[in-house]
Amino acid sequence: MKRPTMKDVAQAAGVSLMTVSRVIAGEAGVSPDTAARVEQAVRKLGYQRNDNARNLRQKRLGTSTVGLVVDDLANPFYALMVRSIEDEAHRRGYVVLVGSTNDEPRREREVIAAFTARQVDGLIIVPTIGGHQFLKPPMEAGTQVVCVDRPARDLDVDTVTVDNRDGARGAVTHLLDHGHTRIAYLGDRYEIWTQSERYAGYLDALTAHGLAVDPDLVRHGLRSHGDAQGALAALRALPDPPTALFSSNDVITLGVLDGLEHPTPISIVGFDDLPLAKQLDPPLTVVSQDPVAVGSTAANLLFSRIDGDRSAPRKVVLLTRFIARRSGARPVQRVSD
């Protein structure tokens, strides 16, 4: 028996083929009475949408949109990265849909599901700590995926990161070279790949100087300015407080700076540069990563895949840059002094 087509549904309902398409796709602009007639015809004829044909048509035509999924849009690093990706997309006539996850796997799935439902041609994702097998079906249907800032678990795709471990190692070594041995580590959630890499760099530097890590000086899980300020207050209250600290991202650094007296009584090196870092007193020493380069590299990889590049997945690791100003070279002085 011949399988019913959309044309059959249109004839049975007395409407155009375009109207049937809109009703089946759930689009607006069709009156309730008309939609009811179409749905009745669908049920009567036993019509089933041919998703394979639909996917092939959309894959061929494309939508000129890409989805961008980041952790936190308020984070200065991600804000600059998003702008860089948007610029690359605009040059090619693409529109970027942007969503954030707050590093929550469930929210990540929801955002990506919303983007794939809109048939984006590709996705650039800052992966959460969860698994990513759920991306396999849209990838098999033709959606191209690039990971940025972190690799994704269980997913072999193009990935753009920076050398977080080496950058953190250099930052802590700078403090050690200035006589500090009580160096605190302030980081985001350890489960986040970038954070575990930066903490590993912190440990590398201590080990290279024959020092064991003091758990009292380590603070993980800091997600906000307030978290960073609370961690700083706890460090100040220690019987033997640190004389220096390494902050693992710009959000934490800003929280620490807000919680310190001025002039700053402790040596600080932060991961990520800040717009006014040179104007602080003292100017802030940082490990700088280039969000514009990270974003543009990820965008170029994605568009090459959309254009048909099917070579093996690439892992691009960009270098960081250590900018020695004066906040990391202060004399040894207790944070509670």
Side-chain angles (χ1 to χ4, degrees), residues 182 214 217 235 237-243 334:
R182 299 281 294 166
D214 182 347
L217 300 184
L235 290 169
L238 290 174
D240 188 11
T243 63
R334 304 296 175 190

Side-chain angles (χ1 to χ4, degrees), residues 244-265:
L245 65 83
F246 170 63
S247 168
S248 71
N249 67 31
D250 44 10
V251 172
I252 296 172
T253 301
L254 288 168
V256 167
L257 293 174
D258 285 344
L260 286 171
E261 301 92 353
H262 298 283
T264 306

Side-chain angles (χ1 to χ4, degrees), residues 153-175:
R153 189 191 307 172
D154 304 325
L155 204 62
D156 189 20
V157 297
D158 292 337
T159 304
V160 182
T161 62
V162 303
D163 196 341
N164 291 278
R165 186 166 184 166
D166 184 70
R169 182 190 302 116
V172 178
T173 298
H174 177 77
L175 294 169

Side-chain angles (χ1 to χ4, degrees), residues 180-193:
H180 297 279
T181 57
R182 299 281 294 166
I183 303 172
Y185 173 89
L186 276 68
D188 202 328
R189 294 167 60 187
Y190 178 76
E191 296 83 4
I192 297 173
W193 181 82

Side-chain angles (χ1 to χ4, degrees), residues 9 21 27 35 41 52 92 107 112 144 149 153 163 167 181 185 187 198 211 213 229 256 258 303 317 324 337:
V9 174
S21 177
E27 296 179 4
N52 288 333
R92 295 169 171 83
R107 181 166 166 176
I112 290 175
Q144 304 302 316
D149 190 46
R153 189 191 307 172
D163 196 341
T181 57
Y185 173 89
R198 292 170 195 176
L211 296 174
V213 63
Q229 291 173 354
V256 167
D258 285 344
F303 288 119
V317 181
D337 289 353

Side-chain angles (χ1 to χ4, degrees), residues 28-91:
V30 180
S31 70
D33 289 343
T34 301
R37 293 207 313 273
V38 172
E39 290 166 358
Q40 183 179 18
V42 166
R43 289 193 298 270
K44 181 178 178 180
L45 296 173
Y47 170 79
Q48 291 182 328
R49 186 175 67 187
N50 188 338
D51 283 332
N52 288 333
R54 180 170 178 263
N55 285 336
L56 286 172
R57 288 195 300 272
Q58 291 189 341
K59 182 179 179 182
R60 181 173 66 250
L61 296 174
T63 61
S64 295
T65 60
V66 296
L68 173 56
V69 185
V70 301
D71 181 350
D72 180 7
L73 284 168
N75 184 304
F77 173 81
Y78 289 129
L80 290 170
M81 188 186 77
V82 168
R83 176 60 186 270
S84 173
I85 292 170
E86 285 183 324
D87 288 345
E88 292 293 334
H90 180 72
R91 288 178 49 238

Side-chain angles (χ1 to χ4, degrees), residues 10-323:
Q11 289 176 345
V15 299
S16 69
L17 193 61
M18 180 61 72
T19 299
V20 174
S21 177
R22 286 177 176 171
V23 173
I24 292 173
E27 296 179 4
V30 180
S31 70
D33 289 343
T34 301
R37 293 207 313 273
V38 172
E39 290 166 358
Q40 183 179 18
V42 166
R43 289 193 298 270
K44 181 178 178 180
L45 296 173
Y47 170 79
Q48 291 182 328
R49 186 175 67 187
N50 188 338
D51 283 332
N52 288 333
R54 180 170 178 263
N55 285 336
L56 286 172
R57 288 195 300 272
Q58 291 189 341
K59 182 179 179 182
R60 181 173 66 250
L61 296 174
T63 61
S64 295
T65 60
V66 296
L68 173 56
V69 185
V70 301
D71 181 350
D72 180 7
L73 284 168
N75 184 304
F77 173 81
Y78 289 129
L80 290 170
M81 188 186 77
V82 168
R83 176 60 186 270
S84 173
I85 292 170
E86 285 183 324
D87 288 345
E88 292 293 334
H90 180 72
R91 288 178 49 238
R92 295 169 171 83
Y94 277 74
V95 172
V96 181
L97 309 178
V98 184
S100 62
T101 66
N102 197 32
D103 204 54
E104 298 172 5
R106 180 176 178 179
R107 181 166 166 176
E108 177 186 47
R109 287 172 178 259
E110 292 172 350
V111 172
I112 290 175
F115 287 167
T116 55
R118 287 164 174 78
Q119 299 296 326
V120 294
D121 297 325
L123 292 164
I124 298 177
I125 302 170
V126 177
T128 69
I129 59 177
H132 290 82
Q133 289 292 317
F134 70 92
L135 280 168
K136 292 294 180 66
M139 290 173 63
E140 290 170 357
T143 303
Q144 304 302 316
V145 176
V146 172
C147 290
V148 65
D149 190 46
R150 318 164 186 170
R153 189 191 307 172
D154 304 325
L155 204 62
D156 189 20
V157 297
D158 292 337
T159 304
V160 182
T161 62
V162 303
D163 196 341
N164 291 278
R165 186 166 184 166
D166 184 70
R169 182 190 302 116
V172 178
T173 298
H174 177 77
L175 294 169
L176 290 162
D177 288 345
H178 282 84
H180 297 279
T181 57
R182 299 281 294 166
I183 303 172
Y185 173 89
L186 276 68
D188 202 328
R189 294 167 60 187
Y190 178 76
E191 296 83 4
I192 297 173
W193 181 82
T194 52
Q195 297 300 300
S196 62
E197 286 289 295
R198 292 170 195 176
Y199 183 60
Y202 167 81
L203 297 178
D204 289 345
L206 294 181
T207 300
H209 283 70
L211 296 174
V213 63
D214 182 347
D216 287 342
L217 300 184
V218 176
R219 296 290 188 276
H220 294 297
L222 311 179
R223 295 288 293 171
S224 66
H225 290 198
D227 290 343
Q229 291 173 354
L232 178 65
L235 290 169
R236 294 170 67 112
L238 290 174
D240 188 11
T243 63
L245 65 83
F246 170 63
S247 168
S248 71
N249 67 31
D250 44 10
V251 172
I252 296 172
T253 301
L254 288 168
V256 167
L257 293 174
D258 285 344
L260 286 171
E261 301 92 353
H262 298 283
T264 306
I266 187 173
S267 290
I268 300 174
V269 177
F271 205 107
D272 292 325
D273 204 359
L274 301 174
L276 299 177
K278 291 186 291 187
Q279 279 70 50
L280 296 173
D281 181 21
L284 184 66
T285 296
V286 297
V287 179
S288 176
Q289 55 177 333
D290 187 346
V292 174
V294 171
S296 63
T297 301
N300 286 324
L301 285 173
L302 181 67
F303 288 119
S304 72
R305 296 300 185 185
I306 291 173
D307 290 340
D309 183 354
R310 296 298 178 264
S311 60
R314 284 162 282 189
K315 313 299 179 186
V316 180
V317 181
L318 303 179
L319 298 178
T320 60
R321 184 165 64 101
F322 185 74
I323 304 176

